[in-house]
Amino acid sequence: MKKIEAIIKPFKLDDVKEALNEIGIQGMTITEVKGYGRQKGHKEIYRGAEYVVDFIPKLKIEIVVEAARADSVVDIIAKAANTGKIGDGKIFILPMDSAVRVRTGERGADAL
Amino acid sequence: MKKIEAIIKPFKLDDVKEALNEIGIQGMTITEVKGYGRQKGHKEIYRGAEYVVDFIPKLKIEIVVEAARADSVVDIIAKAANTGKIGDGKIFILPMDSAVRVRTGERGADAL
Amino acid sequence: MKKIEAIIKPFKLDDVKEALNEIGIQGMTITEVKGYGRQKGHKEIYRGAEYVVDFIPKLKIEIVVEAARADSVVDIIAKAANTGKIGDGKIFILPMDSAVRVRTGERGADAL
Amino acid sequence: MKTKLGAFLVLLLLPTSSAFGADELNTGDTAWIIVATALVMMMTPAGLALFYGGMSRYKNLLNTFAMTVIAYCLASVIWVVWGYSLAFSGEGSLVGNLDALMLRGIGINSVSGTIPTYVFVLFQMTFACITVALVIGSVVDRMKFSSWIVFTVLWVTFIYCPIAHWVWGGGWMSQLGALDFAGGNVVHINAGVAGLVIALMLGKRVGYGKEAMFPSSVTLTTLGAGLLWFGWFGFNAGSELAADGVAASAFLVTNTSAATAALAWMAAEWIGTGKPTLLGIASGIVAGLVSITPAAGFVGLSASLLIGAVAGVLGFFSVSKLKLKMGYDDSLDAFGVHGLCGIWGALATGLFATPAITEGAAGLFYGNPKQLWIQVISILATIAYTAIGTVIVVWITKLLTGGLRVNRDDEVKGLDSSLHGERGFEF
Amino acid sequence: MKTKLGAFLVLLLLPTSSAFGADELNTGDTAWIIVATALVMMMTPAGLALFYGGMSRYKNLLNTFAMTVIAYCLASVIWVVWGYSLAFSGEGSLVGNLDALMLRGIGINSVSGTIPTYVFVLFQMTFACITVALVIGSVVDRMKFSSWIVFTVLWVTFIYCPIAHWVWGGGWMSQLGALDFAGGNVVHINAGVAGLVIALMLGKRVGYGKEAMFPSSVTLTTLGAGLLWFGWFGFNAGSELAADGVAASAFLVTNTSAATAALAWMAAEWIGTGKPTLLGIASGIVAGLVSITPAAGFVGLSASLLIGAVAGVLGFFSVSKLKLKMGYDDSLDAFGVHGLCGIWGALATGLFATPAITEGAAGLFYGNPKQLWIQVISILATIAYTAIGTVIVVWITKLLTGGLRVNRDDEVKGLDSSLHGERGFEF
Amino acid sequence: MKTKLGAFLVLLLLPTSSAFGADELNTGDTAWIIVATALVMMMTPAGLALFYGGMSRYKNLLNTFAMTVIAYCLASVIWVVWGYSLAFSGEGSLVGNLDALMLRGIGINSVSGTIPTYVFVLFQMTFACITVALVIGSVVDRMKFSSWIVFTVLWVTFIYCPIAHWVWGGGWMSQLGALDFAGGNVVHINAGVAGLVIALMLGKRVGYGKEAMFPSSVTLTTLGAGLLWFGWFGFNAGSELAADGVAASAFLVTNTSAATAALAWMAAEWIGTGKPTLLGIASGIVAGLVSITPAAGFVGLSASLLIGAVAGVLGFFSVSKLKLKMGYDDSLDAFGVHGLCGIWGALATGLFATPAITEGAAGLFYGNPKQLWIQVISILATIAYTAIGTVIVVWITKLLTGGLRVNRDDEVKGLDSSLHGERGFEF
Ligand SMILES: Nc1ncnc2c1ncn2[C@@H]1O[C@H](COP(=O)(O)OP(=O)(O)O)[C@@H](O)[C@H]1O
Ligand SMILES: Nc1ncnc2c1ncn2[C@@H]1O[C@H](COP(=O)(O)OP(=O)(O)O)[C@@H](O)[C@H]1O
Ligand SMILES: Nc1ncnc2c1ncn2[C@@H]1O[C@H](COP(=O)(O)OP(=O)(O)O)[C@@H](O)[C@H]1O
């Protein structure tokens, strides 16, 4: 079982969601995050002075999948979230011990 | 050491917190997230048209515990967060290398 | 490759960011979270009654680095985020399988 | 506000107006009352909607706005169709008749006192609207929108109109000589008691007592209090129905009572809890405005300082101590602030009314103990009628709408989403 | 509002005013119209900014505010420098002249009817300001700020001023006898049609039709509707230019139509979608206010109930069905609410105008079918002129500012950030 | 506003009013000034609270509201108890006496000019309230609430009342012939300079200069500016104390100056930074309103265009360049906008005052260079008195409340939480 965390540009969410649905991924968890990296932030103006806001709004998508599917999921996300511009984001793959579905108590793959 | 991530229904937070306190869990970190899964989202109406908002507000609880306690903590959460209805959420268990308490620099179990 | 998650006091963000920049860390992801732990929350007053809000605003910083740099990064954060007061937060180190840069498809260390 | 009778009386006393003679239109008085009407109108869909909406929990913010706005819409239509007639036509001592249905018999040249009758009708309309809207403060977070609509129609018709007739339409209270310049009985005691009754019949909100139910926005509530204060000058000084010295005096005591009550509430809370909340200051403003309402055209500056000071402490005590002790769930304290401070104001009128401001209106401290008893009778009568009447009205509403209350899940999810399919802010 | 001619007429009819005789200042009338002017002024930078800002998406909230406020600033300067002159000086039937440039010839002692001429100029100014600001409702979320500025200057000068002259400046429509008490043609049809034209020329917003474009804050929108309603009393009752029974009647029908329309829209939506939204209720208020505007000084209570009821249903239908069917992107429904309900109001005036309220103003149901035709002609003429004129104005604007529309990235990122470098709330 | 003397003068000049003769109540004038008083009242707890609250950082939003509302409450009570007496009773040239303590000697039949004396008292009260509240703009984010309360009491009594007496109470400045129609010296220079003094004594906010201190909500600030603009018509046109042509002229120049200044500030910022912020537009509105205040009843249209244009550029320059250069932390720019633009307005009055508007009031460009010197003297005297007086008042406040400033932790955490135990929005 793997946990995939993808940091993407907010307006790409729908594309990613649809792409994942197509390969049968039904579940994911989204978090609003702020990203810091190569991409320059936008400028805000206050009392005639400019301030660069270098934390940029991003979305973090967390998806837990069986190990076997991890690579394909990663590829799908990478394709769907890509604009070719700096700031497209990252995908992280983490190991997992197990998962539980609260409603049923099912464990492992059945919990997803 | 394990990291437990539980995605639960927001209004279940207090129950879970209390249940964890009872077994002496004093620390956790909560994040507001949006969940996508089997549970259908609510409908929003705008200019006479209905839109299904399929991202549902959830809370993510992160708890780091010694490996030995992981299972009991998972069970407690699963019990406390359960309503039996679709959308109750998931609990993920992840491996961890170590932890540090910023204030003291303590490492490992002492840091929790 | 390691994933470092640091829970810190919000007003410490700039110090941590600068400290990390100095050692060449260019990328991180920040999430607003609520922390529960030893630190007592502030009191809110409503209609003459006091309520303790025991979830305290914190920031979670996520940084993925090559395994070799993990310790130095952790130390830097621990130093920069420290105030010596309860509630300074924690730093968690998690194992990682790999990372992908969405824009280029680069994998592993190159993706960071 | 003055009964027509009263209005004539005034005319005879006022140099300017009398210069025109009774029932001849005076453009200055008309200008003032047209504006006063607009000010009181604004109090409901803007002032009260913000004041209550900001106090309700975020998940119910829009529902509170919707109840308030719709209450205004329904009451204003009812008023011009049959409400005004029930309250102001005929000689009955208990209720008016239907002669003025659809304002029959009133035209652009009809004049009451020194203003067009239409202006008098409209000014009165805004009072009916805000009175029923005030009741919302006791019921938010749990009442069905459909039930609220039915309740509004019935309550305005069967509770508000008769009481308005008693006091301002020439009914028994005005014959008795009860003093209620701008609506202590008709508006505040009436709404506050009705609120308490319906809150008891609805039952407590899910989680009440267990969890803190923080206001969605003290910012919006305070803005609402500021707009209510602004509109209240139309409410109280407008009730003189003329642009004269009495109107000015009503303006003076209204502002002074509001300011004093805000300071008193702040002080009481600061001492009581160690911190002065802005919610307390905003509530104090309203408590002071409520208390001075029945007295506005009858009492002087020093009385207004006292009325306000007591109102602030009384309000704080009632919402932070009494309510908890009694255990009823008066969500936004319509009873605590409007009911109790309204009663205090009506009594204070019986104590401090001075002939120096309105000829013939004297209270206990100006040699007329009888007035205090008259005030007590009028208060008790209002409480009794509105309490019993509201029980019946709510009971009928319950029948017609199949229960007053939303189901538990909808209440937990929040009424904005479950009843209106919307959210207050989409950031 | 009345043409000066009209204003004189009134004077002869009104006991009070006539007591002073024509062209002598009456302080009561002056007091009312000064206040009415302030009320209408408030409608744009406060009422409309909130109403539109709350409806626009969060990323464009401040830009919508900025367009509205700047529209007011530009139009009010234009008006006192050359706009008033173009609309109200000279005898031309198509447009005024430049005699009153910079208000030349008007002083503190100049009186029009019973009020200082300056007050008349200012009252009229607020109408010019809000009319152009209403257009914003069709173009938010995608128009360049610089283009909006240029458009405002040209449109007020070449579209608004002439039409105002036709109807209120003694031009051909007033000679023809068209009835437009407070601006059905001049304000609402004019702005609504202009909005539709420019919306079509701008094209749809990125993602329009695919994604739901939820309002940033129904809370702010509803507050805006409440303040618009408050200000509208100055707009409609103020258009009588006197504090008299006709003003009171205009106030009455304005309030009734707004309330009825809100209830009607709510009912239509409740039936249509199963849920009554607060956005619908707020939009219904405005629909009712728009529809009664041309009729305010001419129709009675029962007509106002009907006018409002139809307006509510028509508004709901046009924004939720017609717009989707036709496929234009009228962002905040300036055309749907102002254009269509304005047309309905102008027609309704031709149907329900009764001499009982303004001597000599009778509609079809009061034995004067001719009036209905006059209304139809005035509506068609307004539509034709504003449609063609706006196309030209927009086309010139496009040339002068190198395109009307922000680039795609800025539109996606949001105009607050890309054009103003700010955010609506910094929590 | 006029000294009583002035008011009489006007009476003799105005046809209508004179029809009634001096000191006889005119209902039209009374209606207007009652409403004007309500408008100015609204400026503080609604307009200014939003304008300042929206500009303060989110963690201090409610505290800013609380300071503003409480300033209004305290000042209005002080005014009716002893403030009015200090400012307007007796013949002293430096300060009034205590004859009118608790408004002794004033009754419902007392008339000043053509309005009830109570109305004059109340109108003046609203000026005292907003003046002290304006000072808040320099001190938010760091001052103890208790210190603010003590400061308000002392400052209104010892700084505001004497200066009001000098200019409007028959004191030396009015004898000297200084022109200050609605409060350039008394209100804006006074508040702006006091703000600067206390800002310097308080010291800079933690992190000032290092971090950007973004406004919590430009949306609320802009709404506040809109409401301030609306209220300002009462402020400036109301200062005529009558519903006449001069009031209308004051309304005209007030609106024109505000609009021009907003456009000028926008242009200056657009050129200076590449982007026009809404915060800049909102600030420009206020800068224009401040600058025209002393001149409102004395200058004509063309002067108002110039006064506004200069105000907008001056305001932008002072908050974005001067402040940084000088290094003081004038949190919300009370000095930059009110102080400096107030000085410009007072000078402009000495330049552009024309007898065509108020008989006998002529500036440099109308052949009366002496007036400019009188203005300079009055400005310098105001600055000197308020600067020195405020230092003393702040110093006493510091003693009485054990320091002016919250501790560092509370400041970092935010005053809403640390002083009031609340949050602005609970989403
Ligand atoms: N080392 C890292 N650890 C965690 N998150 C990172 C890291 N580097 C970048 N990110 C996240 O990825 C986002 C995009 O990275 P950035 O360097 O801006 O562009 P790119 O993805 O094209 O390399 C950042 O905004 C941040 O949220
Ligand atoms: N594969 C997944 N990876 C990450 N989060 C998931 C996954 N599947 C579900 N979730 C989270 O769990 C929540 C509940 O899942 P859902 O399928 O709706 O109901 P249930 O928990 O009863 O299976 C979702 O809203 C989402 O936040
Ligand atoms: N076991 C835990 N798992 C996850 N997060 C924790 C845990 N314990 C503490 N935290 C986080 O660390 C923050 C600080 O911890 P706390 O006990 O308050 O003080 P300290 O860091 O000084 O020990 C908490 O607010 C919470 O967000």
Side-chain angles (χ1 to χ4, degrees), chain F residues 22-316:
Chain F
D23 282 324
E24 192 179 303
L25 187 144
N26 173 302
T27 59
D29 294 341
T30 302
W32 164 228
I33 304 309
I34 289 177
V35 176
T37 303
L39 284 170
V40 185
M41 173 274 168
M42 181 274 298
M43 292 173 74
T44 304
L48 196 64
L50 285 165
F51 186 70
Y52 277 169
M55 263 197 277
S56 66
R57 285 171 296 171
Y58 179 58
K59 61 185 178 181
N60 303 316
L61 172 56
L62 296 185
N63 175 252
T64 307
F65 263 72
M67 287 173 83
T68 310
V69 172
I70 284 304
Y72 180 89
C73 294
L74 287 166
S76 61
V77 171
I78 290 167
W79 188 257
V80 295
V81 176
W82 67 77
Y84 173 78
S85 188
L86 286 177
F88 286 95
S89 62
E91 304 306 319
S93 78
L94 288 178
V95 65
N97 59 34
L98 297 179
D99 294 354
L101 220 57
M102 289 289 292
L103 307 185
R104 201 180 329 129
I106 303 173
I108 58 165
N109 297 320
S110 315
V111 173
S112 307
T114 59
I115 63 175
T117 303
Y118 276 142
V119 175
F120 180 75
V121 171
L122 288 161
F123 186 64
Q124 288 288 353
M125 174 190 77
T126 59
F127 281 62
C129 294
I130 196 165
T131 303
V132 66
L134 287 171
V135 176
I136 294 165
S138 298
V139 307
V140 294
D141 290 2
R142 58 198 189 285
M143 189 171 185
K144 276 161 62 180
F145 193 52
S146 56
S147 302
W148 173 252
I149 288 172
V150 172
F151 171 82
T152 300
V153 175
L154 297 173
W155 195 84
V156 170
T157 306
F158 297 107
I159 312 300
Y160 182 83
C161 290
I163 296 181
H165 179 76
W166 297 353
V167 181
W168 297 324
W172 71 270
M173 273 196 195
S174 63
Q175 286 154 21
L176 186 70
L179 296 178
D180 187 0
F181 194 74
N185 289 297
V186 184
V187 177
H188 298 291
I189 299 176
N190 189 4
V193 171
L196 179 60
V197 168
I198 180 165
L200 291 169
M201 293 175 78
L202 269 170
K204 297 174 188 175
R205 289 168 290 175
V206 175
Y208 181 72
K210 281 183 238 44
E211 55 196 73
M213 297 182 168
F214 289 115
S216 57
S217 172
V218 176
T219 312
L220 296 182
T221 291
T222 309
L223 175 59
L227 294 180
L228 284 170
W229 196 344
F230 174 49
W232 222 291
F233 295 127
F235 200 96
N236 284 4
S239 289
E240 168 65 3
L241 299 177
D244 60 23
V246 175
S249 173
F251 194 124
L252 169 68
V253 296
T254 298
N255 190 75
T256 305
S257 177
T260 315
L263 295 168
W265 188 307
M266 177 185 77
E269 192 175 38
W270 208 332
I271 294 162
T273 69
K275 280 179 179 168
T277 62
L278 182 56
L279 178 63
I281 292 167
S283 308
I285 288 169
V286 174
L289 291 166
V290 166
S291 300
I292 201 67
T293 295
F298 303 120
V299 305
L301 175 59
S302 37
S304 69
L305 288 162
L306 193 68
I307 290 173
V310 172
V313 177
L314 174 65
F316 172 69

Side-chain angles (χ1 to χ4, degrees), chain B residues 27-29 62 64 101 103, chain C residues 35-36 38-39 58 87 89-90:
Chain B
M28 65 189 82
T29 300
E62 289 171 286
V64 173
R101 167 177 283 125
R103 175 166 42 100
Chain C
Y36 179 77
R38 282 171 194 66
Q39 183 189 8
K58 302 276 174 188
K90 317 279 186 192

Side-chain angles (χ1 to χ4, degrees), chain A residues 27-29 62 64 101 103, chain B residues 35-36 38-39 58 87 89-90:
Chain A
M28 65 189 81
T29 300
E62 289 171 286
V64 173
R101 167 176 284 125
R103 173 166 45 97
Chain B
Y36 180 76
R38 284 172 192 66
Q39 182 189 10
K58 302 275 175 190
K90 316 279 185 194

